[in-house]
Amino acid sequence: MKNKIDPRVPRYPQLIQPTFNALKNLGGSGTNEEILSMIIKDLQLDSEVVDILHLGNRNMSELSYQAAWARTYLKNGGVIENSARSVWSIIPSYQNEKELNVKAIVKKVLDARPSMLKKTKNSREELSEDDDNIDPDDTEPWKVRLAEILKNMNPYGFERLSQRLLRECGFSDVKVTKKSGDGGIDGTGKLRINGIFSFNVAFQCKRYSGSVGAPEVRDFRGSLTTNIEKGVFITTGTFSQHAREEAAAPGKQQIDLIDGEEFINKILEYKIGVREVPAYEIIEDYFKNI
């Protein structure tokens, strides 16, 4: 029996145009987080809806999952493209477009992928994205598996992995704190920008299934000493809308957030513990009709 999607969460056909609008408003390109933030603002979604978790993957929200499907359709429909750094951009031929023909995009994608037509329900516009054998382009099964591995890692192992990742991102003098009662700080480091400006940074690593809330962000901020100029909160899960608002609250020390999706994208970017293998899509009709 299939899990039912909460009816309050917009489905991917409803997010195709808002995703395109978000990229237009962002200057033609944007990250997953930037796009999602614009969609939330555009559709005026409240935090209760935004924080509903996807039942098949507790490390992301249902809205994020549906938004991933919207990006997949836009990409396969030839409207947007993405880079190795997971930055999405509108292709030149669509730069001046305002309104998309969503039905035509969905039909084009499904017509090009006959194997997926067998998994549709009720109509060609209702792809069964909750089927365990189908995933949007940027939530492939291996990413779900990696998320589970990260969530179940030894806590010190996850801190060391975070240490390695921060080094790859340009941090130096990264140290992992192994003392108990350290006020929530799991490590410290320095970030140097353009070889001139440097910042003292503290980070917290939280292996989590589900959403990190605003109280955890406030507690982490409260643990930062006066010599720390930047805080980074890393989780294998996701951050609630209130947590994101708290992290960016005006007048308070800003906290940078790295959720499970962004953490995995960074692992992929720097090829830490992963390797690329070739894969092929089987065109079943070819063998049937030859």
Side-chain angles (χ1 to χ4, degrees), residues 17-19 21-22 25 37-45:
Q17 183 67 49
T19 298
N21 294 344
N25 291 330
S37 294
M38 292 295 293
I39 288 174
I40 292 169
K41 181 179 179 181
D42 183 28
L43 299 183
Q44 298 181 352
L45 300 174

Side-chain angles (χ1 to χ4, degrees), residues 75-96:
K75 176 185 175 182
N76 293 343
V79 180
I80 65 176
E81 59 187 358
N82 67 319
S83 68
R85 293 177 177 268
S86 295
V87 174
W88 298 86
S89 59
I90 301 172
I91 66 171
S93 59
Y94 277 88
Q95 287 286 356
N96 296 322

Side-chain angles (χ1 to χ4, degrees), residues 164-179:
R164 162 75 187 279
L165 187 65
L166 291 174
R167 283 192 171 116
E168 295 286 357
C169 290
F171 288 76
S172 63
D173 196 23
V174 184
K175 297 181 175 66
V176 172
T177 303
K178 297 184 179 180
K179 299 177 182 178

Side-chain angles (χ1 to χ4, degrees), residues 110-160:
L110 292 179
D111 285 347
R113 302 177 73 173
S115 62
M116 294 180 69
L117 290 175
K118 299 177 182 179
K119 298 182 180 292
T120 58
K121 299 189 296 186
N122 304 325
S123 76
R124 294 161 66 85
E125 295 174 28
E126 281 298 309
L127 182 65
S128 179
E129 69 275 357
D130 57 344
D131 192 299
D132 291 338
N133 297 317
I134 308 178
D135 290 280
D137 285 354
D138 50 359
T139 58
E140 297 97 333
W142 71 265
K143 287 190 176 182
V144 177
R145 174 57 184 154
L146 180 54
E148 287 298 312
I149 291 173
L150 294 176
K151 185 180 66 177
N152 293 302
M153 283 183 68
N154 175 281
Y156 289 142
F158 182 64
E159 289 172 4
R160 288 193 296 273

Side-chain angles (χ1 to χ4, degrees), residues 185-245:
I185 294 176
D186 293 320
T188 59
K190 292 183 180 294
L191 176 61
R192 184 174 292 274
I193 301 175
N194 295 330
I196 301 175
F197 305 103
S198 64
F199 300 90
N200 291 322
V201 180
F203 61 90
Q204 184 179 48
C205 307
K206 194 174 184 68
R207 293 177 305 116
Y208 206 74
S209 178
S211 295
V212 174
E216 287 92 338
V217 175
R218 282 194 292 269
D219 289 345
F220 175 53
R221 181 187 283 120
S223 71
L224 302 180
T225 55
T226 55
N227 66 318
I228 297 296
E229 287 122 344
K230 176 65 69 174
V232 180
F233 200 131
I234 302 170
T235 181
T236 55
T238 185
F239 293 97
S240 71
Q241 184 67 9
H242 287 313
R244 294 183 183 278
E245 292 170 356

